[in-house]
Amino acid sequence: MAIEAKFLIFFVVALLALLMAESNSLVWTNEANDAADQYFPNKANNGQGSLRSYQCPSQCNRRCSQTQYKKPCLFFCNKCCSKCLCVPPGYYGNKGICPCYNNWKTKRGGPKCP
């Protein structure tokens, strides 16, 4: 009986450890997906990103944080984000990740989005 009890205890501990490792893995996967979703366009939305409109100000603050022209950068970034629901990663460049953001041009043909 003592051997069976030890085996049962070992089995329960191993099962708990396995369940904890699996749930930890799911948390990391969801966090990685959430981080990727903020940049990559959602193909179901015709090239628009998966940001929500309430996320635009914080993403544009990040995007425009290192420019000396902060006010115009924030204005146009928020305008572009509200239309495209995507803000490229980093402080400059990387616009190819957000096609809508990248392809929106001014009347003169220059880039509208910072």
Side-chain angles (χ1 to χ4, degrees):
M1 192 81 163
I3 294 175
E4 291 174 1
K6 288 181 181 178
F7 177 74
L8 184 60
I9 291 172
F10 173 77
F11 180 74
V12 169
V13 169
L15 185 61
L16 285 174
L18 184 63
L19 288 174
M20 287 174 55
E22 181 66 28
S23 68
N24 214 6
S25 169
L26 289 174
V27 169
W28 283 104
T29 303
N30 287 339
E31 287 175 0
N33 287 342
D34 290 345
D37 284 347
Q38 65 183 320
Y39 299 124
F40 296 109
N42 185 346
K43 291 177 183 165
N45 277 341
N46 297 323
Q48 290 188 336
S50 55
L51 282 178
R52 306 283 187 252
S53 59
Y54 67 87
Q55 295 172 310
C56 287
S58 64
Q59 290 298 316
C60 287
N61 278 334
R62 173 195 50 78
R63 178 81 174 169
C64 296
S65 65
Q66 294 189 354
T67 183
Q68 60 182 341
Y69 306 106
K70 194 164 186 111
K71 260 188 166 177
C73 181
L74 286 172
F75 176 79
F76 287 108
C77 180
N78 279 299
K79 188 172 188 158
C80 294
C81 181
S82 64
K83 178 184 176 190
C84 300
L85 299 176
C86 185
V87 176
Y91 306 110
Y92 182 79
N94 303 319
K95 292 185 193 178
I97 292 174
C98 299
C100 170
Y101 194 97
N102 188 37
N103 297 333
W104 198 8
K105 305 293 182 197
T106 63
K107 290 178 183 176
R108 293 182 173 177
K112 186 159 196 110
C113 305

